Amino acid sequence: MDFVELARQAWAAKDYDAARMYYQKASYGIHGTEQANKDAFAQEVAEFAGEDPLYQQGLSLITQYIAQQGKPVLQSDMTAYVKQHWGDAQTELLRYVLYYAAIRHEIYRQKQGRSYLLALSEKDLSAALLPENIKPKAKKTRHLKLFEPNSAYQLPSDSTIIYSSDLAELHREATRYKGEGNWTGALACLFTAKELTHNQIEDFPRRLRLPLFLQQAGHFSAAKYELAYLLENIDRFVELEIKGRRHIRLSKTFVKNHHLERLFDKARLIFQREKQNDLAEACRTLSQEYQQKRIAASEALLAAEQKKRENRREYSSPVSTVTLDVSQIQDRRENTSQYNESLQLAQHHVTNPQKNTGCLKVIIGVLVVIFIAGLLF
């Protein structure tokens, strides 16, 4: 199906929503084509965006936001803000607007660290990128030196952006591109998924796909950079995952050790593929160490959960219980029987006045029996 042609037909009919959808579907397949085709596609969609009411609305909100900040802003911060206030659907729109606004020179953006810096003018952007305005790197964490030296991967400037916010679709497309040998497309999908999940829960093995793909694509230094990124942010990823769980402290220990076990196992595989056997062995040892810690944390969690269940059962039992042995039960039965016989005798004397001899004694006896029975019950 020719999505580009369908998009053009919808555009001609001024069905902007349909046209936008078809252009988005077409963008997934554009990576495998020649460079001239990529350039022509980007220019065509940029021209369409100039007429798209949704693009114009989004551009107005973005420029207002940057102006209110009084300085260039990071795209990751803006994405988090939009997601918090308007949800995932609007973050997808944000990516669409920002990409084509840069092509149309209505927004200026430049790669900075793991995100993009956005500005309203080229002058503002250049000033913000001066060395003294760039924040220093965060303090190094333990084991980080294993992944040095490294360097970030830069997507080609002419690559078509993937602005879907469907994580499952992004990972499926990455796998498909990999199967076709289109590493640029595969990495574009995984970098989009990374940006979307920077501050959200994500299955950790899926986070590990990016460094694995980078190594397979021949970008070993960038693979180490992404491993370092995961290691530096491990505590934040853990905090996202354990929200709402019971036994927070134990859960945090378990999840963190599980993630580190997996991270160093994949690092072992990457170093092994690069024939760096000493580093591969170091990572294997670390993975095994964290595996033992993960097992111990799992056992501690199970013990805590078992103790909680036992406490719950104890709490749900009666506050005070009376345990009767066989003799006490028998005494109760005999007392009850005597009470019933006395009551029947009293009723007999009351209903037969002619046999009222000793009636007073019987009544007194009944009252005594009732009093004793009341004490027992």
Side-chain angles (χ1 to χ4, degrees):
M1 182 178 294
D2 189 346
F3 289 120
V4 174
E5 184 58 35
L6 290 173
R8 290 169 179 167
Q9 293 173 11
W11 182 7
K14 298 191 181 301
D15 187 350
Y16 296 105
D17 291 337
R20 191 184 319 109
M21 177 191 70
Y22 287 129
Y23 276 128
Q24 180 179 346
K25 289 181 179 295
S27 70
Y28 282 108
I30 207 68
H31 286 287
T33 63
E34 297 179 355
Q35 186 57 50
N37 191 41
K38 294 179 185 178
D39 294 340
F41 177 81
Q43 289 300 323
E44 179 175 328
V45 180
E47 184 180 349
F48 161 76
E51 297 182 20
D52 182 4
L54 199 59
Y55 169 88
Q56 297 297 335
Q57 180 184 2
L59 180 64
S60 175
L61 293 173
I62 290 168
T63 54
Q64 288 177 31
Y65 177 84
I66 297 174
Q68 287 172 0
Q69 305 308 308
K71 61 180 180 179
V73 301
L74 284 173
Q75 182 170 326
S76 57
D77 293 340
M78 182 178 289
T79 301
Y81 177 83
V82 170
K83 182 176 180 179
Q84 179 183 359
H85 289 83
W86 295 287
D88 286 332
Q90 297 305 312
T91 62
E92 183 173 338
L93 172 62
L94 175 69
R95 295 176 62 81
Y96 160 65
V97 173
L98 287 175
Y99 180 72
Y100 290 106
I103 292 177
R104 294 172 58 84
H105 301 293
E106 293 175 314
I107 291 288
Y108 294 84
R109 73 175 193 166
Q110 176 68 42
K111 186 73 175 177
Q112 181 169 319
R114 301 183 182 95
S115 185
Y116 287 91
L117 195 64
L118 308 173
L120 297 179
S121 71
E122 194 169 7
K123 181 180 178 181
D124 290 343
L125 185 61
S126 298
L129 289 172
L130 290 175
E132 62 267 22
N133 294 329
I134 298 176
K135 294 181 180 179
K137 288 186 177 180
K139 185 178 179 181
K140 297 183 185 298
T141 38
R142 189 184 174 201
H143 308 317
L144 203 56
K145 62 183 180 181
L146 285 169
F147 307 129
E148 296 176 346
N150 61 58
S151 60
Y153 174 79
Q154 299 288 343
L155 282 168
S157 59
D158 57 359
S159 64
T160 302
I161 194 168
I162 304 296
Y163 49 80
S164 172
S165 62
D166 187 330
L167 293 173
E169 182 181 26
L170 288 168
H171 281 278
R172 284 196 302 269
E173 289 297 304
T175 301
R176 181 175 68 82
Y177 283 134
K178 175 185 174 182
E180 297 173 354
N182 183 356
W183 288 107
T184 302
L187 292 172
C189 290
L190 292 184
F191 271 104
T192 300
K194 173 190 171 182
E195 183 175 343
L196 290 172
T197 58
H198 183 71
N199 286 307
Q200 104 177 31
I201 296 175
E202 171 66 308
D203 189 31
F204 197 71
R206 294 214 300 193
R207 295 189 190 274
L208 289 166
R209 296 190 78 196
L210 181 54
L212 287 169
F213 273 45
L214 283 165
Q215 186 276 328
Q216 289 177 294
H219 304 290
F220 176 51
S221 183
K224 291 190 293 181
Y225 182 92
E226 294 304 326
L227 288 170
Y229 162 79
L230 292 174
L231 186 57
E232 287 179 301
N233 289 274
I234 198 78
D235 288 325
R236 182 164 53 81
F237 295 148
V238 170
E239 291 292 343
L240 289 169
E241 287 192 39
I242 65 172
K243 284 183 179 178
R245 292 195 185 188
R246 293 181 294 193
H247 314 297
I248 292 295
R249 183 180 61 82
L250 293 174
S251 293
K252 183 177 181 179
T253 302
F254 170 79
V255 173
K256 183 174 181 177
N257 284 302
H258 200 189
H259 287 355
L260 289 170
E261 174 192 350
R262 288 167 164 169
L263 187 153
F264 285 109
D265 183 58
K266 296 306 180 188
R268 172 201 58 78
L269 178 60
I270 288 172
F271 283 124
Q272 186 175 301
R273 288 172 174 172
E274 294 291 325
K275 309 300 181 184
Q276 297 193 11
N277 296 327
D278 290 344
L279 290 173
E281 180 61 21
C283 289
R284 183 190 66 79
T285 300
L286 285 171
S287 180
Q288 290 179 343
E289 288 179 6
Y290 285 114
Q291 179 187 52
Q292 294 304 314
K293 292 179 180 180
R294 185 256 301 170
I295 292 172
S298 176
E299 291 173 351
L301 264 174
L302 290 172
E305 189 61 30
Q306 179 65 26
K307 184 176 180 180
K308 188 167 186 176
R309 284 197 295 266
E310 290 173 355
N311 290 339
R312 190 183 298 119
R313 284 197 296 268
E314 182 178 343
Y315 178 78
S316 62
S317 301
V319 176
S320 61
T321 57
V322 179
T323 305
L324 301 176
D325 58 24
V326 176
S327 61
Q328 287 175 309
I329 294 173
Q330 183 63 33
D331 289 343
R332 280 198 170 193
R333 288 176 178 173
E334 291 176 355
N335 290 332
T336 302
S337 177
Q338 292 174 3
Y339 167 75
N340 291 336
E341 291 175 0
S342 299
L343 184 59
Q344 290 173 1
L345 180 60
Q347 290 173 340
H348 174 74
H349 283 284
V350 170
T351 54
N352 296 277
Q354 68 276 17
K355 298 181 180 179
N356 202 24
T357 305
C359 182
L360 182 58
K361 293 181 179 180
V362 172
I363 292 172
I364 293 173
V366 170
L367 292 174
V368 171
V369 172
I370 291 173
F371 176 76
I372 294 173
L375 291 176
L376 289 171
F377 290 92

